[in-house]
């Protein structure tokens, strides 16, 4: 319960930081809001996509598709720490959700964070052992960590 409250407060805080306008977006249902968010991002208006994503998550903190897409948008903008917070919260809430681990793999890959990449990839493999693209990224993470002497 405490973690959910913390997550909700984090979403509200992040939303207020991203929110350049006080007027909330209007959409008939959350799925329509999610579609609008994707359209904003695809059209290069990632600021609006983030703002709308945070708004949706304020209303529905367990809307994992929105949280994971928002994490990707944050990753595209180089806001990796914020992206990891969203991914990790989804994993905490739904530890069997493969998409959360795959999103984490992509973000860690973009961030060149080999330790996180290894952790997310191993989590993905625990759920789905046959993931060739993830296998390659996991091997890259292990090799990079060996080169950096992080692991023997």
């Amino acid at each position: 319960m405490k973690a959910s409250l913390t997550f909700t407060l984090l979403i509200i805080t992040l939303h207020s930081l991203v929110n350049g306008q006080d007027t909330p977006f209007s959409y008939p249902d959350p799925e329509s809001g999610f579609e609008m968010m994707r359209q904003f991002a695809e059209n290069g208006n990632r600021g609006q996509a983030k703002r709308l994503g945070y708004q949706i998550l304020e209303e529905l903190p367990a809307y994992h598709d929105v949280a994971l897409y928002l994490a990707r948008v944050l990753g595209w903008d180089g806001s990796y720490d914020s992206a990891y917070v969203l991914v990790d919260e989804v994993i905490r809430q739904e530890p069997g959700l493969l998409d959360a681990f795959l999103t984490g793999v992509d973000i860690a890959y973009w961030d060149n964070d080999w330790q996180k990449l290894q952790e997310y990839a191993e989590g993905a493999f625990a759920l789905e052992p046959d993931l060739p693209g993830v296998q390659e990224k996991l091997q890259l993470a292990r090799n990079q960590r060996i080169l950096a002497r992080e692991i023997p």
Side-chain angles (χ1 to χ4, degrees), residues 33-98:
F34 184 29
E35 177 59 30
M36 185 185 305
M37 176 190 174
R38 289 192 302 262
Q39 288 299 316
F40 279 139
E42 289 171 16
N43 292 327
N45 196 342
R46 293 198 292 247
Q48 293 289 75
K50 289 186 280 189
R51 189 173 146 236
L52 179 54
Y54 285 122
Q55 179 183 326
I56 295 168
L57 289 176
E58 279 183 42
E59 298 167 15
L60 296 166
Y63 197 161
H64 299 315
D65 290 339
V66 169
L68 295 175
Y69 193 79
L70 179 55
R72 287 182 179 281
V73 173
L74 289 163
W76 298 335
D77 284 346
S79 298
Y80 302 116
D81 290 339
S82 297
Y84 292 133
V85 168
L86 291 170
V87 170
D88 291 344
E89 179 59 22
V90 171
I91 291 171
R92 189 193 67 72
Q93 291 178 8
E94 288 288 332
L97 187 61
L98 180 61

